[in-house]
Amino acid sequence: MEGSIPIKESKIWDVAAFSIEKGCKLCIHSESGGGKSSLLSFIYGNRADYVGKILFNRTNIKDFTIPEWCEIRRRHIALLPQEMRLFPELTVLDNIQLKNNLSGWKTVKEIEGMLTDLGVADKLNTPVAKLSIGQQQRVAIVRTLCQPFDFIFLDEPVSHLDETNNKIVAELVDSEAKKNNAGIITTSVGNHLLLDSPQFVNL
């Protein structure tokens, strides 16, 4: 995503233009209803009810075809929505494999390793409906990481996690982003992802 000037540590809507570059670490903070999820939805192409232009590799995203969007979402932009969008009747592994089967990005051993790091490996064959919200968040994070990406968007990814698990999630996300030389953009209403040296932006 490109613009004329970089994001400043101020209200993003007051900036005439801004850019998000690979390798960045941004934490977008606002009160509930402040526009965080809307901003991510605009960039991801889920919504188009905005004024102005959003460019990806110098192309206006409103000009992308459906096949182009499918490729971008499969190879370039990973998104963890706030509502997670897990299938409650499916097991943890089945939920993750829905994405991984499309991307072929991770082996089952690698998936199990990430689940182990996040303390939910024992839930591998458990239906998601039987997990706590915090456990579901960790499963959704693993699923989000099962693709290549230039940018990863995480909408309030640790809202139900304690500080210890927050740090573990941050380390995993940061590690995967470094493998891809990717940018991390996360949102919060207070409990932000504990990345190392992020730039904070207020909405």
Side-chain angles (χ1 to χ4, degrees):
M1 280 141 288
E2 299 182 6
S4 61
I5 60 174
I7 292 176
K8 303 298 182 182
E9 291 189 8
S10 62
K11 286 186 175 294
I12 196 171
W13 304 122
D14 294 337
V15 181
F18 63 88
S19 63
I20 301 173
E21 306 292 343
K22 290 182 66 175
C24 69
K25 294 180 186 178
L26 298 180
C27 179
I28 300 172
H29 173 82
S30 80
E31 296 179 356
S32 181
K36 303 178 300 301
S37 298
S38 294
L39 177 62
L40 299 190
S41 292
F42 296 155
I43 297 171
Y44 197 66
N46 284 337
R47 289 176 54 183
D49 53 324
Y50 57 86
V51 176
K53 292 182 179 180
I54 298 174
L55 308 181
F56 184 82
N57 289 338
R58 297 184 173 86
T59 299
N60 188 334
I61 66 172
K62 288 185 177 180
D63 294 333
F64 288 143
T65 63
I66 291 175
E68 287 173 329
W69 266 122
C70 289
E71 182 64 15
I72 287 169
R73 291 166 180 163
R74 194 163 71 102
R75 295 292 176 187
H76 300 287
I77 301 177
L79 171 68
L80 171 64
Q82 184 179 342
E83 64 273 20
M84 296 180 284
R85 296 177 188 164
L86 296 170
F87 293 89
E89 71 278 10
L90 298 182
T91 68
V92 166
L93 182 59
D94 287 341
N95 267 280
I96 294 170
Q97 288 289 43
L98 284 173
K99 168 173 260 190
N100 195 58
N101 287 340
L102 293 173
S103 67
W105 190 241
K106 296 289 185 182
T107 66
V108 172
K109 184 176 181 180
E110 288 173 322
I111 290 170
E112 291 176 345
M114 290 190 289
L115 291 171
T116 297
D117 290 342
L118 299 184
V120 287
D122 60 325
K123 306 298 183 182
L124 189 69
N125 297 307
T126 301
V128 163
K130 295 186 177 181
L131 273 56
S132 70
I133 298 299
Q135 290 170 329
Q136 290 181 29
Q137 282 190 318
R138 283 172 275 176
V139 171
I141 287 163
V142 171
R143 183 193 57 190
T144 305
L145 294 171
C146 285
Q147 68 167 90
F149 55 88
D150 296 316
F151 298 94
I152 184 168
F153 297 94
L154 304 162
D155 196 1
E156 298 189 36
V158 293
S159 57
H160 290 81
L161 299 185
D162 56 36
E163 183 176 350
T164 297
N165 281 300
N166 185 329
K167 289 179 178 179
I168 295 171
V169 167
E171 289 174 3
L172 177 61
V173 170
D174 194 38
S175 175
E176 292 295 315
K178 285 178 179 176
K179 292 177 185 178
N180 291 275
N181 187 31
I184 303 170
I185 298 89
T186 183
T187 71
S188 81
V189 293
N191 185 26
H192 65 272
L193 184 63
L194 296 174
L195 295 167
D196 183 32
S197 301
Q199 181 180 5
F200 289 88
V201 178
N202 295 318
L203 286 183

